[in-house]
Amino acid sequence: MSAIIETQPAVFPAQLSRHVGPRETLSHTLTMAYRALLRLRRTPEQWADVLVMPFLFTFMFAYLFGGAIAGSVTDYLPALIPAIIVQGVVQASVVTGTQLREDMDTGVFDRFRSLPMARIAPLAGALLTDTIRYAVLTVLTMLVGVMIGWRPGGGGAIVLAGLLVILTAWSLSWCWALLGVTARTAGTVQGIAMLIMMPLTFLSNAFVPTQTLPDWLRVVAEWNPLSHLITAIRELANDGVFGADVGWTLLGAVGIAAIFAPLAVRAYMRKA
Amino acid sequence: MPSTLPDRAIEADGLVKVFGTNRAVDGVDLRVDTGTVYGVLGPNGAGKTTTISMLATLLRPDGGNARIFGHDVVGEPHTVRQLIGVTGQYASVDEKVSGIENMIVFGRLLGLSHRAAKLKGRELLEAFGLAEAAKRPVGKYSGGMRRRLDLASSLIAHPPLIFLDEPTTGLDPRTRGQMWDVIRGLVAGGSTVLLTTQYLDEADQLADRIAVIDRGRVVAEGTADELKSSVGTAALQLRLADTAQTAVALTVIEQVLGVSATATPEAARITAPMGDPDRVTDLLLALRERGIPLAEVSVTKPTLDEVFLTITGHATDDAASAEHETEEVAA
């Protein structure tokens, strides 16, 4: 088995670069995204949440709360579908963090660290591929909504709504990536993330109108960043309105990514 | 290409790594010449893997410094990574995807195009006897196959320096032999190899020079022969044609060589320390005079096991040697 190796002498690279350039960084990130895609194909269980949640939560909330909150199921859907989408992608973004932790526990990350590759690529690649999961969840929830009577009136703006929610989930996944890199087990990531996200999704304008809340809670719900995202999606999808909440959400998303992406990469490199 | 290769592949001075209160590596110096196999020998927990991790930019040293082909591992990690291949004690490959997919991803990360990475991957899988398993998920590979895939992944860019951390630990003797052939092939192609092992025969077989490392320190360094001769003399081994004469033979040896020999009863093999080779002639003549015919005469040098025992004052790790024995039995 050594025959072929003898005929191929060691190569001392003609040029040695001291740093990774932006083009290489992009190429490495895309390669890592390709790797994540290969893994996604081989691990169907990673699709379970994004395939089941749209059906489960849409039906459950629509028929359970529709009558009580909005008078009828159909009247509840314009408010509900954006909320279900946001709740879904936020939870799916947590899975990104837990999977990163599990992935890092396998030996292959030792090899990535020993390769002359961009340090950000293993994280950025994984996060990039997970936007596919967010997209599937978003589109599927919208379809389920339309199936049971949602008629979004925003026209083409619904595409913008989808993109906005995917971008926000991607930004948010940097938080979980940081948690994933620093936490000891995938279970820890899951536990801490749920502790943060459960109150954040429910103490918002997602499922009930904020007017019905006590004063102190209404303030919390209205300041909740997820409320801004949900409002932005509702306005875009239902009315085609490009409101202030879209701006706030974009600002928030960019801000989160700007803070947490460098932190996550730094934590990853410290481990490296 | 080779003309630009510096003479020294690795220079390490006083490397230190501390985990909590444990000084895992406690001032290691290494000099590895280009184009040689260098063996780092030591029991479990001696600091071998930690040393390699620092040299391969995976761990930041707490003290000292190291250069790979003249490039500092802390100051120029990216440059160093372009010059090395690392194969760890535990296979660093992706379990969820197939062998060829692993090779494509690593090849792409090393700057090859998708097509070139696939071609190179196929070629290496073929060379390592993994062509048939190329499309199977690595999770279904045996331990030996994973190890081979791991080594194949380290060779995609033909790096001039290859770190092999216990490349044969846990492999059956046949696969171990194949691994040795690969390592010899790499050196024939001009690569420099730094290899850690807890198997003394492995270092003896492969390495041009050996550093014996114990409790984070290099306790001895030299060629296998130097290490052995530093420990002591060779031994004369005799096998008698007639085992009944063993007692007489032992007396003769005592008289002629002035040392006490030992005998293994079942094989009638007598072992005697051999200080002065010239006296052996006297001994053989004396045995002839007494009418003690010999079936076999041989001289053995001390094994590295004995070297290790003498240098460190304790035997190689019990668990390690037990594992070694079990494998040989399994063969």
Side-chain angles (χ1 to χ4, degrees), chain A residues 1 4 8 17 35 39 111, chain B residues 82 94 123 127 150 158:
Chain A
M1 90 181 175
I4 208 159
Q8 294 181 335
S17 59
R35 167 181 177 266
R39 288 169 63 86
R111 179 168 302 282
Chain B
Q82 291 163 71
D94 201 331
E123 187 183 296
D150 195 32
H158 302 292

Side-chain angles (χ1 to χ4, degrees), chain B residues 271-309:
Chain B
T271 307
M274 190 177 70
D276 181 4
D278 206 36
R279 305 275 290 276
V280 176
T281 324
D282 299 339
L283 175 65
L284 296 179
L285 286 172
L287 289 172
R288 160 80 52 92
E289 270 168 30
R290 303 283 179 95
I292 303 173
L294 294 171
E296 192 183 307
V297 179
S298 62
V299 174
T300 55
K301 287 184 148 189
T303 65
L304 275 171
D305 276 303
E306 290 162 317
V307 174
F308 199 87
L309 184 62

Side-chain angles (χ1 to χ4, degrees), chain B residues 11-93:
Chain B
E11 277 179 298
D13 292 303
L15 280 182
V16 173
K17 186 70 199 179
V18 184
F19 296 118
T21 57
N22 172 29
R23 293 177 80 82
V25 172
D26 194 7
V28 163
D29 301 320
L30 289 176
R31 294 279 177 279
V32 178
D33 288 335
T34 302
T36 62
V37 181
Y38 195 91
V40 174
L41 175 66
N44 272 333
K48 303 187 297 290
T49 303
T50 311
T51 303
I52 279 206
S53 298
M54 285 190 281
L55 294 174
T57 76
L58 296 175
L59 267 183
R60 208 187 164 87
D62 292 326
N65 56 70
R67 285 160 306 286
I68 304 297
F69 295 112
H71 298 280
D72 191 81
V73 293
V74 176
E76 308 166 74
H78 187 67
T79 311
V80 170
R81 288 180 194 125
Q82 291 163 71
L83 299 169
I84 60 170
V86 187
T87 291
Q89 194 171 343
Y90 306 100
S92 344
V93 286

Side-chain angles (χ1 to χ4, degrees), chain A residues 1-13 15-21 24 27-32 34-35 38-39 41-43 45-46 102-103 106-119 121 270-272, chain B residues 1 4-6 57-58 69 71 75-76 78-79 81-83 86-87 91-94 96-98 101 104-106 108-110 114 120 123 127-128 135 137 148 150 153-154 157-160 178-179 181-182 185-186 188-191:
Chain A
M1 90 181 175
S2 62
I4 208 159
I5 291 150
E6 279 167 39
T7 61
Q8 294 181 335
V11 178
F12 197 83
Q15 285 176 305
L16 289 168
S17 59
R18 291 200 57 163
H19 299 285
V20 194
E24 284 169 300
S27 149
H28 294 159
T29 301
L30 290 177
T31 302
M32 291 306 286
Y34 167 72
R35 167 181 177 266
L38 290 173
R39 288 169 63 86
R41 214 186 53 193
R42 298 240 183 207
T43 47
E45 64 270 19
Q46 287 192 34
E102 280 170 4
D103 198 4
T106 65
V108 71
F109 266 70
D110 281 343
R111 179 168 302 282
F112 293 142
R113 290 203 298 251
S114 76
L115 289 176
M117 63 184 281
R119 303 284 98 181
R270 188 162 295 176
K271 290 220 162 178
Chain B
M1 247 182 47
T4 63
L5 271 177
T57 76
L58 296 175
F69 295 112
H71 298 280
E76 308 166 74
H78 187 67
T79 311
R81 288 180 194 125
Q82 291 163 71
L83 299 169
V86 187
T87 291
S92 344
V93 286
D94 201 331
K96 294 249 174 76
V97 307
S98 73
E101 285 165 348
I104 293 172
V105 168
F106 297 140
R108 294 280 291 129
L109 291 173
L110 285 162
H114 189 93
K120 182 91 232 166
E123 187 183 296
F128 281 88
K135 289 188 175 159
R148 278 181 278 158
D150 195 32
S153 321
S154 305
H158 302 292
Q178 289 177 337
M179 207 54 122
D181 287 342
V182 171
L186 288 172
S191 295

